[in-house]
Protein backbone atom coordinates (compact mmCIF):
# COMPACT_ATOMS: atom_id res chain seq x y z
CA UNK A 1 0.00 0.00 0.00
CA UNK A 2 1.10 3.58 -0.56
CA UNK A 3 2.13 4.77 2.91
CA UNK A 4 1.33 8.40 1.95
CA UNK A 5 -2.34 7.40 1.94
CA UNK A 6 -2.19 5.21 5.06
CA UNK A 7 -2.93 6.24 8.62
CA UNK A 8 -0.20 6.02 11.25
CA UNK A 9 -1.99 3.02 12.79
CA UNK A 10 -2.14 1.21 9.41
CA UNK A 11 1.59 1.79 8.88
CA UNK A 12 2.34 0.57 12.42
CA UNK A 13 0.23 -2.57 11.83
CA UNK A 14 2.09 -3.18 8.57
CA UNK A 15 5.46 -2.90 10.37
CA UNK A 16 4.31 -5.28 13.13
CA UNK A 17 3.25 -7.74 10.40
CA UNK A 18 6.63 -7.49 8.68
CA UNK A 19 8.53 -8.12 11.91
CA UNK A 20 6.32 -11.09 12.80
CA UNK A 21 7.67 -12.90 9.71
CA UNK A 22 11.11 -13.24 11.32
CA UNK A 23 11.88 -16.11 13.67
CA UNK A 24 14.73 -14.58 15.61
CA UNK A 25 16.29 -11.26 16.47
CA UNK A 26 19.30 -11.67 14.20
CA UNK A 27 16.91 -11.69 11.22
CA UNK A 28 15.09 -8.67 12.64
CA UNK A 29 18.37 -6.76 13.10
CA UNK A 30 19.28 -7.55 9.48
CA UNK A 31 15.87 -6.27 8.39
CA UNK A 32 16.30 -3.05 10.41
CA UNK A 33 19.70 -2.54 8.73
CA UNK A 34 18.07 -3.08 5.30
CA UNK A 35 15.40 -0.50 6.16
CA UNK A 36 18.19 1.94 7.05
CA UNK A 37 19.74 1.49 3.61
CA UNK A 38 16.45 2.54 2.00
CA UNK A 39 16.13 5.72 4.09
CA UNK A 40 15.86 8.80 1.87
CA UNK A 41 18.91 10.84 2.82
CA UNK A 42 18.66 14.12 4.61
CA UNK A 43 20.11 17.06 2.70
CA UNK A 44 23.59 17.81 4.11
CA UNK A 45 22.53 21.39 4.88
CA UNK A 46 20.20 19.95 7.55
CA UNK A 47 22.95 17.99 9.32
CA UNK A 48 23.19 20.70 11.96
CA UNK A 49 23.29 20.82 15.74
CA UNK A 50 19.63 21.95 15.73
CA UNK A 51 18.57 18.74 14.00
CA UNK A 52 20.70 16.33 15.99
CA UNK A 53 18.99 14.02 18.45
CA UNK A 54 20.35 14.40 21.96
CA UNK A 55 20.48 11.25 24.04
CA UNK A 56 21.69 9.04 21.19
CA UNK A 57 25.02 7.27 21.39
CA UNK A 58 25.43 7.70 17.63
CA UNK A 59 24.70 10.82 15.62
CA UNK A 60 21.15 11.05 14.32
CA UNK A 61 19.75 14.02 12.44
CA UNK A 62 16.04 14.59 11.84
CA UNK A 63 14.65 17.40 9.73
CA UNK A 64 11.00 18.27 9.11
CA UNK A 65 9.19 20.37 6.54
CA UNK A 66 5.50 21.07 6.29
CA UNK A 67 3.99 20.37 2.88
CA UNK A 68 0.39 21.52 2.71
CA UNK A 69 -1.06 20.08 5.92
CA UNK A 70 1.40 17.21 6.33
CA UNK A 71 4.86 16.96 7.86
CA UNK A 72 7.62 15.36 5.80
CA UNK A 73 10.60 14.04 7.74
CA UNK A 74 14.09 13.23 6.50
CA UNK A 75 16.85 11.75 8.61
CA UNK A 76 20.28 10.18 8.69
CA UNK A 77 22.59 8.51 11.16
CA UNK A 78 26.26 7.61 11.27
CA UNK A 79 25.40 4.14 12.65
CA UNK A 80 23.77 1.51 10.45
CA UNK A 81 21.39 0.07 13.10
CA UNK A 82 20.31 3.52 14.28
CA UNK A 83 19.69 4.48 10.67
CA UNK A 84 17.28 1.54 10.43
CA UNK A 85 15.50 2.57 13.63
CA UNK A 86 14.98 6.13 12.43
CA UNK A 87 13.85 4.74 9.05
CA UNK A 88 11.02 2.88 10.85
CA UNK A 89 9.97 6.10 12.61
CA UNK A 90 10.19 8.18 9.42
CA UNK A 91 8.07 5.63 7.58
CA UNK A 92 5.51 5.77 10.38
CA UNK A 93 5.25 9.53 10.88
CA UNK A 94 6.29 11.21 7.61
CA UNK A 95 3.49 12.52 5.38
CA UNK A 96 1.09 12.69 8.31
CA UNK A 97 -0.77 15.61 9.90
CA UNK A 98 0.77 17.17 13.02
CA UNK A 99 -2.36 16.41 15.06
CA UNK A 100 -2.21 12.72 14.07
CA UNK A 101 1.48 12.49 14.98
CA UNK A 102 0.83 14.05 18.38
CA UNK A 103 -2.09 11.71 19.08
CA UNK A 104 -0.36 8.55 17.84
CA UNK A 105 0.80 5.96 20.30
CA UNK A 106 4.05 4.10 19.78
CA UNK A 107 2.97 0.72 21.17
CA UNK A 108 4.06 -0.93 17.92
CA UNK A 109 7.69 -0.48 19.06
CA UNK A 110 6.98 -2.74 22.03
CA UNK A 111 4.93 -5.10 19.83
CA UNK A 112 7.91 -5.72 17.53
CA UNK A 113 10.13 -6.07 20.61
CA UNK A 114 12.48 -3.31 19.54
CA UNK A 115 13.01 -1.57 22.89
CA UNK A 116 13.72 -4.78 24.78
CA UNK A 117 16.33 -5.89 22.23
CA UNK A 118 18.28 -2.64 22.19
CA UNK A 119 21.08 -1.64 24.50
CA UNK A 120 19.93 0.89 27.16
CA UNK A 121 21.66 3.75 25.33
CA UNK A 122 20.04 2.80 21.99
CA UNK A 123 16.64 2.45 23.72
CA UNK A 124 17.12 5.96 25.17
CA UNK A 125 18.04 7.17 21.70
CA UNK A 126 14.85 5.65 20.31
CA UNK A 127 12.79 7.53 22.90
CA UNK A 128 14.69 10.73 22.04
CA UNK A 129 13.95 10.23 18.32
CA UNK A 130 10.22 9.90 19.03
CA UNK A 131 10.32 13.00 21.25
CA UNK A 132 12.02 15.01 18.49
CA UNK A 133 9.43 13.92 15.91
CA UNK A 134 6.59 14.84 18.30
CA UNK A 135 8.28 18.21 19.05
CA UNK A 136 8.35 19.00 15.32
CA UNK A 137 4.64 18.08 15.14
CA UNK A 138 3.90 20.36 18.09
CA UNK A 139 5.73 23.28 16.44
CA UNK A 140 4.04 22.74 13.06
CA UNK A 141 0.61 22.34 14.62
CA UNK A 142 1.03 25.72 16.32
CA UNK A 143 1.89 27.40 12.98
Amino acid sequence: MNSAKMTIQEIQDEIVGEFSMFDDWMQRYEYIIELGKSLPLIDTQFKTEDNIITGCQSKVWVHADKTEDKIVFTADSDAILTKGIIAILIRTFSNQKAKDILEANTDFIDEIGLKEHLSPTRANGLVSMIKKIKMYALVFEAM
Side-chain angles (χ1 to χ4, degrees), residues 32-59:
I32 292 169
I33 290 167
E34 284 305 308
L35 291 173
K37 290 177 183 173
S38 68
L39 182 68
L41 287 185
I42 191 170
D43 193 306
T44 51
Q45 73 180 8
F46 299 123
K47 283 189 171 184
T48 63
E49 286 300 311
D50 288 345
N51 291 334
I52 210 157
I53 306 280
T54 54
C56 270
Q57 125 185 28
S58 42
K59 286 194 173 176

Side-chain angles (χ1 to χ4, degrees), residues 44-143:
T44 51
Q45 73 180 8
F46 299 123
K47 283 189 171 184
T48 63
E49 286 300 311
D50 288 345
N51 291 334
I52 210 157
I53 306 280
T54 54
C56 270
Q57 125 185 28
S58 42
K59 286 194 173 176
V60 181
W61 298 269
V62 176
H63 176 71
D65 272 319
K66 193 167 184 184
T67 308
E68 292 168 27
D69 63 341
K70 298 196 173 165
I71 301 174
V72 177
F73 292 98
T74 54
D76 196 8
S77 175
D78 61 357
I80 191 83
L81 186 65
T82 311
K83 197 172 192 166
I85 294 167
I86 194 65
I88 291 169
L89 297 176
I90 297 294
R91 177 176 160 192
T92 304
F93 296 113
S94 197
N95 291 304
Q96 300 290 340
K97 293 180 180 178
K99 180 179 182 289
D100 296 337
I101 294 168
L102 291 169
E103 292 174 356
N105 71 52
T106 52
D107 295 345
F108 80 105
I109 291 167
D110 293 327
E111 282 182 58
I112 63 176
L114 190 55
K115 239 189 251 176
E116 68 185 271
H117 286 90
L118 293 175
S119 67
T121 51
R122 282 225 167 89
N124 287 341
L126 171 62
V127 170
S128 296
M129 290 178 213
I130 294 167
K131 279 184 185 166
K132 183 82 166 181
I133 287 169
K134 295 230 177 199
M135 282 301 298
Y136 275 123
L138 200 58
V139 168
F140 283 121
E141 189 183 45
M143 292 174 93

Side-chain angles (χ1 to χ4, degrees), residues 17-43:
E18 289 166 11
F19 273 81
S20 70
M21 293 187 287
F22 301 107
D23 297 328
D24 63 44
W25 261 93
M26 283 317 295
Q27 291 175 320
R28 289 179 183 195
Y29 282 132
E30 287 170 21
Y31 184 60
I32 292 169
I33 290 167
E34 284 305 308
L35 291 173
K37 290 177 183 173
S38 68
L39 182 68
L41 287 185
I42 191 170
D43 193 306

